[in-house]
Amino acid sequence: MFKQNISLSLHSNYKIGGKAKYFFEPKNEEELVTAISHIRKLKTDLFVLGGGTNVLFSDADFPGAVVKIQNSKFQILDSNLMIGAGVSMAELLNVVAEKGLSGLEWAGGLPGTLGGAVRGNAGAFGGEIKDAIEYVKSFNAKTGKFMTRVNKECRFCYRDSIFKNAAKDEIIWEIGLRLKPGNKKEIQSAIEDKIKYRLERHPMDYPNVGSIFKNVDVEIVPKTLREKFKAKIKIDPIPVLPTAILLAEAGLKGVSRGGAMISPKHPNFIVNTLNASSKDVKILIYLVKYTIKEKFGIKLEEEIMIV
Ligand SMILES: Cc1cc2nc3c(=O)[nH]c(=O)nc-3n(C[C@H](O)[C@H](O)[C@H](O)COP(=O)(O)OP(=O)(O)OC[C@H]3O[C@@H](n4cnc5c(N)ncnc54)[C@H](O)[C@@H]3O)c2cc1C
């Protein structure tokens, strides 16, 4: 029912990480409940994993249990969907496009699972996953109980939800989505546009975990910088100055450490160019935060999860 000493680099988009002592992959509720009760008996730490597209694992081995969510439930009733948290966004988008269901076009090219997207309220191109959510069913690893929250109980806000805060012991298990009937061709082409945009701008030739830092709320950007980069401010969905602009302005493009590099193509990505260690990436994260604070007085906040 579980594997042992599994290399986390194989389960991370970064291709970085030591070994997990225990590794579970529950596919249904029964397997999830059994896995969690086993982990509680082992009295060991638990880390929940989706697609590994937003996580930086440590170089050291993880002495606890990693639970990789494999709930692949896929049920569609008209415009209402009941989807397992382990379903990849790519698969979800393929199906909704095929069925002519609109509302997730912004997520074209968004990697990872639906569960991961819900926890961080993933968003792009002005859209956010919260806009399509009806309910979230989760499993509390401490109490051993399932519960269901409607959208507004999930306290979604910019790259945030209750599952990152008050409900951080909960494993997102199933998501109810409500989409709208739309034109199949238009939906498909909107998704393809987003994928094309990402391929042109993101450094996809190297392992990465997307943007390292959250974009910066314009309210905290010094007035001179705000004026200088007025044209770069975007709505995401609040007005933000892209962090990549600050990093480029600070001359950080292409700075490297060991096998990790601040991407010259998109400086908010730190890419693994050659067998980077977790330490290499962490040193660059520290360097960026220090430089941006010194130069602009802005405290950057990580978007990725560092384990
Ligand atoms: C090339 C690239 C582009 C990206 N572009 C964007 C973008 O435009 N917008 C954006 O918001 N993000 C973006 N990301 C980041 C990432 O893809 C998203 O945050 C994604 O939603 C993470 O999903 P995941 O399944 O990979 O989560 P993981 O990386 O596996 O996990 C991320 C966090 O969520 C937790 N988690 C995962 N699944 C569950 C669950 N079922 N229950 C509870 N907790 C869970 C994990 O414990 C971890 O803390 C990008 C990443 C890459 C590599």
Side-chain angles (χ1 to χ4, degrees), residues 48 50-55 111 113 117 119 122-123 159 172 198 208 210 305:
V48 182
T53 66
N54 212 19
V55 185
T113 62
R119 177 181 180 271
R159 301 292 181 273
I172 299 165
R198 284 174 183 275
N208 68 75
M305 173 77 184

Side-chain angles (χ1 to χ4, degrees), residues 7 12 58 65 93 117 127 147 158 174 208 212 224:
S7 171
S12 150
S58 168
L93 286 184
M147 72 172 291
Y158 179 62
E174 180 186 311
N208 68 75
I212 298 289
T224 44

Side-chain angles (χ1 to χ4, degrees), residues 220-265:
I220 64 160
V221 176
K223 209 168 160 213
T224 44
L225 268 186
R226 218 186 303 169
E227 280 303 310
K228 182 167 181 186
F229 294 112
K230 208 154 77 186
K232 303 283 184 188
I233 290 172
K234 61 176 190 176
I235 307 298
D236 187 30
I238 51 165
V240 291
L241 182 64
T243 302
I245 304 286
L246 292 175
L247 270 68
E249 179 73 2
L252 289 166
K253 276 185 174 184
V255 172
S256 67
R257 165 79 196 203
M261 179 173 67
I262 299 173
S263 167
K265 191 171 177 185

Side-chain angles (χ1 to χ4, degrees), residues 137-156:
K137 179 176 177 183
S138 58
F139 181 76
N140 188 314
K142 287 244 159 85
T143 63
K145 293 207 164 64
F146 280 97
M147 72 172 291
T148 299
R149 287 186 180 82
V150 295
N151 185 313
K152 71 172 193 297
E153 292 172 311
C154 298
R155 297 191 210 152
F156 290 116

